[in-house]
Every structure is written in structure tokens, then in C-alpha cells.
Amino acid sequence: MLFELAITFATTILAPVQQKQPSTKTQIIYVKESKEPCTGVAPMECLQVKESANADWSNFYTNINGFKYTPGYRYKLRVRVTPVKNPPADAPNVKYTLVKVLEKKRVRVSTTNGQWANIAGKKWILSKMDNADQPDEAIWVEFDTDKQRIHGRSGCNNLMGGFSTSGNSITFSKVAGTLMACESSLMRREGSFLKQLGDHTFKYQVTGQQVHLLQNGKPVLQFKLQDKDAGQEQVSNGNTDWASISGKKWVMTRLNEASISNSGIWLEFDPARNRFYGKGGCNNISGGYSTANNAITFTQAVSTFMACPDAGVMSREADFLKTLGGHTFKYTLTDGTINLFENDHLIMQFAMEDKSAGAANPNPWSFIGSKKWNVIKLNDATLTDSGIWIEFDTEKNRFHGKGGCNSISGGYNATGDQIKFAQAVSTRMACPDPAVMRREADFLKLLSETSYRYDVADQTLNLYKDGKIIVMFGMQDK
């Protein structure tokens, strides 16, 4: 092909000396609006050129004297091609000089193929910031081109956000991160990186395996490209993720547009029962969930009804429960962070926290028996100050308490996650409020000669029938 020009002229020059040396000539070439990665003596970027409008583009390994290339424009040039006698090793055998720019047209650069598709499929590891080499690979970014999302590490914390590209420009948006604390120098470097990256637009240039982000023509950040490590990011495919999710406590770090620290909001997941429980900031919460592919659906969350003195905490708890309950989210699990998305917007983010060694009680009944349990939910009714409570005598397998008006007692037997109550008995006092009497009768009917699946979720004791909570008790110290 004509545009392996260096090779063509090299062949001509190296021909036997009796052959006539080629003379200078002019010709028409077309120059593409974007460069492509190529390898000459070293990895570099090459102009893309061709000899006619219908020909294929080829790498152009040298430059054109007098020609100032601007990305985003397609050129038609007349150039003078001059052979070079006795060129140095690895130097071009011909010299190109611009005669005239015949045509210059603005062309929108495709970002779905070619150079961008190549670099977007890589892991970008920060190698230079403010002209300073980076000492490690602690800061990196990966791209999800389908969702126009980024994720990665900012040194100490996980990061994520959005991005868009146009021509050879890239814009980052709503970059967010977890809020863990690390050693001070790492935190300063992380802060500097996030400040320079977030909500800014850059020109990007690719040189070999390096990506340079520039503003006003000056380099700001430099990344080295690396193949994504297999298995570095856990793929959201159901049981694989949830086996690791279930052994951890997940502390909220972001709700809607707000980053949160020390929120007191957290969740734990029981994948065997498809249940979650935790704290809303003030009250205990629990509910059910289901997963399919990389989506999770939460049932309506239920909670205790303690009042907290901080109105801001109560307001945020209400927002959290409203956002969570009855909604379906796309989720990702990346480097110890659960991210929940709705319509491709990050709605909630949770950071992983190991459960303390003594947090899980292998014998829940030693805990259950040490507490008083007040009824806070009966069938579909949420109750406050119901006056209904029970306590358990784990040595005698007996319970006693109040039904709202009368004293009650009976026996129970617990095996695994199942509990069966014997016939409950009660005193026969009459209460002036008939609604209290009716509720007491309903409670005794539910408790007598009935089996339930149970669990203890932080400070609630829940009794289930056919996957539905029938009775929920809130914990109170005796």
C-alpha cells in the first residue's frame, strides 16, 4: 500500500546503486480526525492517513513538516515527498513537507470504537499527579461504558461516579467515595486526586500504554493502562456475592445525594432466609429481600418505634426506610462496598465492616432469656405501648408475661429456628377498653399451640408463618 511510505522508499533507496534514485514528488493524502495507538521504535500514537477517499486508513509513523494537526478535523493535503540519503538507523527514509491544506472539515470523533474502546476496557492506574510520580498503585479507575459509570480506589476509599466522552474529551461527574479514615499522608493524596478528578472535563491523549488528562493544554493526571485482573471485581451473580455479603455488617455511607459518616444506619443479610435486619439510625429495622442477576428487591421494612432526641436522625431514618422499602435496585459489589442504583443513579452505598468476634451468639436463647420482649407488631398492625410482653425461662422452657390486660403464661419448645408454643393460660380480669380485650384474645390465639420460625435481629424477636412476620417483639432489659 502506498502509505507504508517509509518501507516503500526504504526499498527504493536500498536498491542497487545503478538504479536511478527517485526524485522529489508531490501527492495528495488524507489525514483522519483522530490518532490511534501504534508501535514504532516505542509505543506511540500515529496519524491515520490514506491516499484516496475510498482507501483504508494506515498508520503514519513520521510527521509532516509545516503541518499543524488538530484532533477532530479531517484533512486533505498536498505534500512534497523527498527521499533522505543515508538516514540514521531507525529514522524515516523520506521527508514529508506540507505544500497546501486543500480541505479541513470538522468531524465528530466516535468514542464507541477505536482508541476509546481500547483504553476504556483497561484499568487506569494513577502514575503521575501534578508532575509527581506516584509511589504505588493505590489509586485506580475502571470504566463501565454501557452504564457510563466509573469505579475504583482513591487510595484509601472506594470511589464511583459517572463519565461522558466527546471527541477526545472526557468529563467526570458526581464522583463519590466511602468515608473510611486512613494514614494522614494517604488521605491528603486521596483528597488531592478527588479534587482534581471530580466534576471536571479533560482532554485525553494516549501514548503507548499511558493516558494523559490535560486541562488548558497542561498535563494534570497520568495513568498507566493495565489489563483488568480476572476476579478483581466480584461479578454480581447471586450466590457468589451473597455468600460474602452475609458474613459482614454493611454501614451506610451515602443516601441519595448526601455522603454520610457515623450515620448509625447499617444492614446485615441472612441469605438462607432472604431476610435483612439492622438499624435505621435510631430504631431497629428488618424485612425481606430477593435477588435476581444483579438486582435486589426489598420488601417493606418494619421498625421499632423509639423516639430519638435528634430530629435530624429521625428524618434521615424516615428517608432511608422510604427509599429502601418496596424498591428494586441494581447492585454492584466492589472492593468492600455495596452500591445500589436506580435508573443508573447511585441511590445508596454501604461500606463493609467485619462483625466483632463476639457479636454472633451461638446460643440465641441465652440472650433471649435475659430480656423482656414487648410486642411491637401483631399480624399487620404496628403497636406502640401495647402492654403486651413476655419473658422466657430457658431452664424450664416456660414463658410468662402480659396480654395487655391479664397475666399470661405457658410452655414452649425451641429446636433450630423453630419454636412451638403450648396452650397459653391467663387470668380473667376484665378491662374497660374492649379493644384491649380483643387484642389480648388475638394474641393468645396466635401464641397457643402454634409453631413458628423465629429469628433474633439485633434487638427484635420475630415470629414467622409462611415467610410473613406474624409477631414482632422489641427487646427491653429486665
Side-chain angles (χ1 to χ4, degrees):
M1 178 179 286
L2 180 58
F3 280 103
E4 301 296 336
L5 289 172
I7 297 175
T8 301
F9 277 93
T11 303
T12 303
I13 290 173
L14 293 175
V17 294
Q18 66 268 23
Q19 293 184 7
K20 184 178 179 180
Q21 296 292 335
S23 60
T24 299
K25 65 176 184 178
T26 61
Q27 66 181 76
I28 304 298
I29 63 172
Y30 294 81
V31 180
K32 194 178 180 182
E33 61 277 3
S34 60
K35 294 182 179 181
E36 295 290 345
C38 60
T39 302
V41 177
M44 56 187 287
E45 273 195 309
C46 286
L47 289 173
Q48 300 296 294
V49 298
K50 59 185 178 180
E51 62 179 344
S52 67
N54 296 324
D56 294 329
W57 296 107
S58 299
N59 290 333
F60 190 75
Y61 291 92
T62 185
N63 60 357
I64 302 171
N65 293 334
F67 172 57
K68 185 177 180 180
Y69 170 75
T70 302
Y73 289 88
R74 183 169 296 184
Y75 297 87
K76 181 179 180 182
L77 308 177
R78 178 179 287 117
V79 297
R80 183 168 55 251
V81 185
T82 306
V84 176
K85 295 182 179 180
N86 302 318
D90 299 323
N93 295 315
V94 291
K95 181 175 69 174
Y96 299 87
T97 305
L98 177 67
V99 176
K100 187 177 181 180
V101 177
L102 302 175
E103 193 174 87
K104 179 182 178 181
K105 291 196 303 185
R106 179 72 176 174
V107 177
R108 183 177 179 84
V109 179
S110 171
T111 60
T112 57
N113 295 300
Q115 184 187 63
W116 173 250
N118 179 55
I119 64 174
K122 303 287 187 180
K123 181 177 181 179
W124 294 22
I125 301 171
L126 186 69
S127 57
K128 186 173 288 189
M129 180 166 60
D130 292 330
N131 293 319
D133 291 333
Q134 298 303 296
D136 51 35
E137 298 184 352
I139 300 177
W140 56 268
V141 179
E142 291 183 359
F143 295 82
D144 182 337
T145 54
D146 291 336
K147 298 178 180 178
Q148 297 286 90
R149 303 288 303 170
I150 62 168
H151 69 268
R153 295 284 291 182
S154 51
C156 172
N157 286 275
N158 302 321
L159 70 84
M160 63 188 51
F163 77 93
S164 61
T165 57
S166 177
N168 64 337
S169 296
I170 181 168
T171 300
F172 297 93
S173 60
K174 295 183 180 179
V175 177
T178 52
L179 296 171
M180 294 182 290
C182 295
E183 190 268 330
S184 58
S185 63
L186 188 59
M187 293 296 288
R188 286 194 298 271
R189 183 167 59 144
E190 177 176 83
S192 179
F193 173 70
L194 292 174
K195 183 179 180 180
Q196 295 195 46
L197 188 74
D199 296 322
H200 291 151
T201 297
F202 303 88
K203 295 290 186 182
Y204 68 85
Q205 292 182 351
V206 182
T207 305
Q209 296 301 306
Q210 298 284 341
V211 179
H212 309 267
L213 300 186
L214 302 92
Q215 287 181 323
N216 300 320
K218 296 181 179 180
V220 177
L221 300 169
Q222 179 177 305
F223 299 85
K224 63 180 180 181
L225 298 176
Q226 185 182 92
D227 289 335
K228 295 179 181 179
D229 295 329
Q232 167 123 9
E233 178 183 357
Q234 292 176 308
V235 178
S236 300
N237 60 355
N239 293 337
T240 301
D241 278 354
W242 290 96
S244 58
I245 287 173
S246 63
K248 307 297 180 182
K249 180 178 180 180
W250 298 94
V251 179
M252 172 164 280
T253 57
R254 186 175 180 86
L255 178 60
N256 293 315
E257 299 296 327
S259 295
I260 301 171
S261 59
N262 303 318
S263 66
I265 301 175
W266 57 268
L267 296 177
E268 292 184 6
F269 295 88
D270 182 349
R273 297 173 179 144
N274 274 30
R275 300 289 302 169
F276 70 87
Y277 60 92
K279 278 279 193 180
C282 176
N283 285 277
N284 303 320
I285 63 172
S286 63
Y289 72 91
S290 60
T291 59
N293 297 321
N294 64 334
I296 180 170
T297 300
F298 294 89
T299 64
Q300 192 64 45
V302 295
S303 73
T304 53
F305 284 86
M306 295 183 292
C308 293
D310 189 333
V313 171
M314 293 297 289
S315 176
R316 187 168 60 195
E317 179 175 271
D319 289 343
F320 170 60
L321 292 175
K322 181 180 179 181
T323 303
L324 186 77
H327 290 147
T328 298
F329 303 91
K330 294 289 185 180
Y331 75 87
T332 62
L333 173 62
T334 308
D335 290 326
T337 302
I338 297 176
N339 312 295
L340 303 183
F341 299 90
E342 206 168 40
N343 298 323
D344 293 329
H345 292 288
L346 178 64
I347 304 299
M348 286 182 280
Q349 183 180 76
F350 299 86
M352 182 184 73
E353 180 180 299
D354 285 318
K355 296 180 184 179
S356 60
N361 192 339
N363 178 13
W365 283 98
S366 62
F367 171 74
I368 292 172
S370 68
K371 304 297 180 181
K372 178 179 179 180
W373 299 95
N374 300 295
V375 172
I376 57 178
K377 183 178 175 65
L378 189 63
N379 288 317
D380 292 320
T382 301
L383 308 177
T384 57
D385 301 321
S386 67
I388 305 175
W389 58 270
I390 58 176
E391 293 180 358
F392 294 89
D393 182 339
T394 57
E395 292 184 0
K396 298 178 180 178
N397 276 27
R398 301 285 300 170
F399 68 87
H400 68 274
K402 279 280 191 179
C405 177
N406 286 277
S407 299
I408 62 173
S409 63
Y412 74 93
N413 182 52
T415 303
D417 64 350
Q418 301 292 315
I419 183 171
K420 182 175 182 179
F421 291 91
Q423 184 66 46
V425 296
S426 72
T427 55
R428 298 289 180 178
M429 293 186 295
C431 292
D433 188 340
V436 171
M437 294 297 290
R438 287 194 298 271
R439 189 166 62 198
E440 179 175 89
D442 290 342
F443 177 63
L444 291 174
K445 183 178 179 181
L446 290 173
L447 223 58
S448 297
E449 299 293 342
T450 308
S451 296
Y452 298 96
R453 182 175 67 80
Y454 76 90
D455 64 24
V456 180
D458 191 34
Q459 299 181 44
T460 62
L461 171 62
N462 308 299
L463 306 183
Y464 301 88
K465 179 70 74 174
D466 298 325
K468 180 181 178 181
I469 294 180
I470 304 301
V471 185
M472 176 186 287
F473 300 89
M475 185 195 77
Q476 180 182 323
D477 289 329
K478 292 183 179 180

